[in-house]
Amino acid sequence: MGLSLVGGVVAAEECRSDSVSLKGDWGSARFSVEVADDPAEQAQGLMHRTSMPMGAGMYFVNQRPRSTSFWMRNTLIPLDMLFIDAQGVVKHIHHNAIPLDETPIPGGDDILTVLEINGGLAARLGIKVGSLVRHPAHQSYAPAWPC
């Protein structure tokens, strides 16, 4: 569990299923997420939504690491997609996926999770390949940034 300074008091930073933390030489960020970890939730994704709060996202969790690809069918907002391996390392970022575009967006092989956030946000925050991710989904894979 990480520690953070809250109101002058050191507090434990929880590792929770409804949030994803990222860090790198660019700094750190935390997103409140909806988890999509079954086929129905993953198929629905962020389809038909007209907006998403800046600090929010959707976290897709595969049953095991695998080759992963996405598209933007029925997705109305531009998204950044962060493709993450089992150890919680960002392996690929697709910036500003085009709404409604059905062209496949390959994320790579051995991907366990994918974080979708508002388009342009990864670049604005400086998030890049090699950033570390903390979420309970990575716990059984010797994560680079454990809970």
Side-chain angles (χ1 to χ4, degrees):
M1 204 181 291
L3 299 177
S4 62
L5 192 62
V6 178
V9 178
V10 175
E13 191 177 297
E14 293 182 58
C15 191
R16 301 169 23 166
S17 63
D18 65 351
S19 69
V20 172
S21 297
L22 295 101
K23 71 177 182 178
D25 59 9
W26 51 270
S28 64
R30 188 177 190 121
F31 295 92
S32 296
V33 295
E34 295 175 56
V35 175
D37 59 2
D38 69 45
E41 292 168 339
Q42 291 177 342
Q44 179 65 33
L46 291 169
M47 287 182 179
H48 307 293
R49 299 190 193 188
T50 57
S51 67
M52 182 168 58
M54 269 310 144
M58 182 164 275
Y59 206 52
F60 294 82
V61 180
N62 293 327
Q63 293 298 315
R64 58 180 165 51
R66 63 178 176 85
S67 180
T68 302
S69 179
F70 277 63
W71 62 5
M72 294 289 285
R73 174 180 283 172
N74 298 321
T75 305
L76 306 175
I77 54 177
L79 297 171
D80 287 347
M81 299 176 186
L82 287 70
F83 295 87
I84 304 156
D85 72 8
Q87 288 73 44
V89 178
V90 175
K91 293 299 187 180
H92 174 68
I93 301 173
H94 183 87
H95 298 274
N96 281 307
I98 300 166
L100 305 174
D101 186 357
E102 294 189 19
T103 305
I105 299 168
D109 297 325
D110 297 320
I111 300 299
L112 180 66
T113 60
V114 179
L115 175 62
E116 289 184 341
I117 57 176
N118 281 292
L121 195 52
R124 191 163 53 193
L125 293 172
I127 299 170
K128 50 188 157 186
V129 169
S131 296
L132 302 182
V133 175
R134 191 168 73 177
H135 185 271
H138 300 276
Q139 278 309 102
S140 59
Y141 294 96
W145 186 17
C147 289

